[in-house]
Amino acid sequence: MIQKADRLTHVKEYYFSKKLREIAELIAEGKPIINIAIGSPDLQPPLSVVAALKSTLQLDNAHKYQSYQGIPEFRLGIANFYKTNYNVELNPSNEILPLMGSKEGIMHISMAFLNKGDKVLIPNPGYPTYASVTKLVEAEPVYYNLSEQNNWLPNFSEIEKEDLSKVKIMWVNYPHMPTGAAASKLAFEQLIAFAKKHNILVVNDNPYSFILNDNPQSILEVEGAKEVAIELNSLSKTFNMAGWRVGMVLGDAEIIKTILQVKSNMDSGMFLGIQKGAVEALKLSANWFEKQNSIYKKRRAIVWQIFDALGCTYDKNIVGLFVWAKLPKGEKAEEFTDTLLYKKDVFITPGTVFGTNGEGYIRASLCVDLVVLKEVLTRLTTNK
């Protein structure tokens, strides 16, 4: 067998990839597993989005290669969306780069700016892909602690105790996944000041700002943010378009140009129908978000009952597509969730997936129908 690349030595298979394979085997054995762990929206995209995709299929250029930078109509739609919803001015010609999902942007950004041996500040707990991509490009992760006591926000005095001389990128993610913490404008201002002080590129990964959140924010709202910050965003959660793979990176024109140097060598443009659908999604009014959130509020209320039944505690002020809960004292996250899986046929996410600071916590998704969530509650409150 051909030997695998050295860069994979310190990169593990994604937790959900491995665990979902195990769950598929259990289901094949007849186990009635209910999955409330994964953040893949189960609701439908807007009808206007699907209609736009369908209407594109008959166009002469629909099946040809598309621009690496996306069609102008799409970039203008993103610019208008950011102006309307975040009060952020963006030049659609050079400050916006559409992506095939924001996850690919993590790789593109890392490849564009990181050399072997460079350091990257990564939140603990945080999205595991930040660390795995950092390792894949042979840079060094430097984990910074987030804690419930500090509202899951960076502690800059603690971070500055580290040698930051080789740090080039800092990943942040607000509203935060997995905890649901939201950053205030003051917190974003502190991030920008920190980045300028240490000459670090801050990347805010921002796919959850319209889910159960009355105050959507962008780090780019902060004065001078474009000097040191860029933002990733996505249509996956906001418009139930996860499988469409539509995202974007936004910021200073020179930074975007640098990322494009990588992206243009990685794909051949996004399918036209998907771009046309995305344009329609970005036109939707606040009424769309209100309807989605009315569904998520009902689901969240049942998830709170599920966590009550498990003896967990949680913050009712968090936002986003998940509920993050603290386990009863002394419980270990993976042992706890495996017990639920094997004894109650319920799969829930252990907090340790997101880092060592996730020990003692679990996370449930709101991408599950009310009927299914009520069945989970029944299983947890019934002896069998």
Side-chain angles (χ1 to χ4, degrees), residues 305-326:
Q305 292 181 53
I306 289 169
F307 283 144
D308 288 340
L310 293 171
C312 297
T313 56
Y314 47 88
D315 181 357
K316 289 190 173 183
N317 295 312
I318 57 99
V319 303
L321 207 52
F322 306 97
V323 180
W324 179 254
K326 191 170 187 176

Side-chain angles (χ1 to χ4, degrees), residues 96-287:
I96 295 170
L97 181 61
L99 302 170
M100 293 181 187
S102 58
K103 189 174 184 179
E104 77 156 17
I106 299 171
M107 175 62 82
H108 292 344
I109 293 164
S110 299
M111 292 182 72
F113 293 102
L114 295 174
N115 295 313
K116 184 176 181 178
D118 285 339
K119 294 185 177 181
V120 181
L121 287 169
I122 294 172
N124 178 12
Y127 185 37
T129 299
Y130 305 142
S132 59
V133 167
T134 297
K135 293 172 186 177
L136 282 171
V137 300
E138 299 183 277
E140 180 183 338
V142 177
Y143 297 95
Y144 64 92
N145 293 315
L146 302 179
S147 69
E148 188 173 359
Q149 293 71 30
N150 200 43
N151 297 316
W152 307 105
L153 295 169
N155 183 329
F156 294 106
S157 60
E158 181 181 290
I159 295 172
E160 287 183 325
K161 292 176 183 177
E162 298 276 350
D163 177 7
L164 302 176
S165 60
K166 290 188 176 181
V167 172
K168 289 185 77 175
I169 290 177
M170 179 180 187
W171 289 100
V172 298
N173 166 218
Y174 293 102
H176 185 244
M177 197 287 294
T179 68
S184 64
K185 189 171 183 181
L186 174 61
F188 280 146
E189 289 171 345
Q190 291 172 331
L191 271 165
I192 297 303
F194 171 81
K196 288 182 177 181
K197 179 180 177 180
H198 296 285
N199 192 31
I200 294 170
L201 176 65
V202 171
V203 188
N204 184 43
D205 191 7
N206 187 20
Y208 297 101
S209 60
F210 293 93
I211 309 296
L212 295 174
N213 184 19
D214 295 329
N215 185 31
Q217 293 189 91
S218 165
I219 198 169
L220 299 178
E221 292 177 72
V222 175
E223 186 175 353
K226 289 182 187 177
E227 297 170 28
V228 290
I230 57 178
E231 184 158 276
L232 287 169
N233 213 322
S234 168
L235 275 63
S236 293
K237 319 298 187 190
T238 307
F239 299 105
N240 306 325
M241 295 168 65
W244 291 55
R245 310 311 305 135
V246 187
M248 63 211 72
V249 59
L250 317 121
D252 174 77
E254 282 302 311
I255 295 176
I256 296 300
K257 183 179 178 181
T258 302
I259 298 168
L260 180 59
Q261 284 182 256
V262 174
K263 177 178 169 54
S264 62
N265 284 288
M266 300 294 285
D267 66 61
S268 298
M270 187 186 300
F271 178 56
L272 181 62
I274 289 176
Q275 294 189 68
K276 292 285 191 178
V279 169
E280 292 304 313
L282 293 166
K283 291 177 182 176
L284 290 170
S285 70
N287 185 52

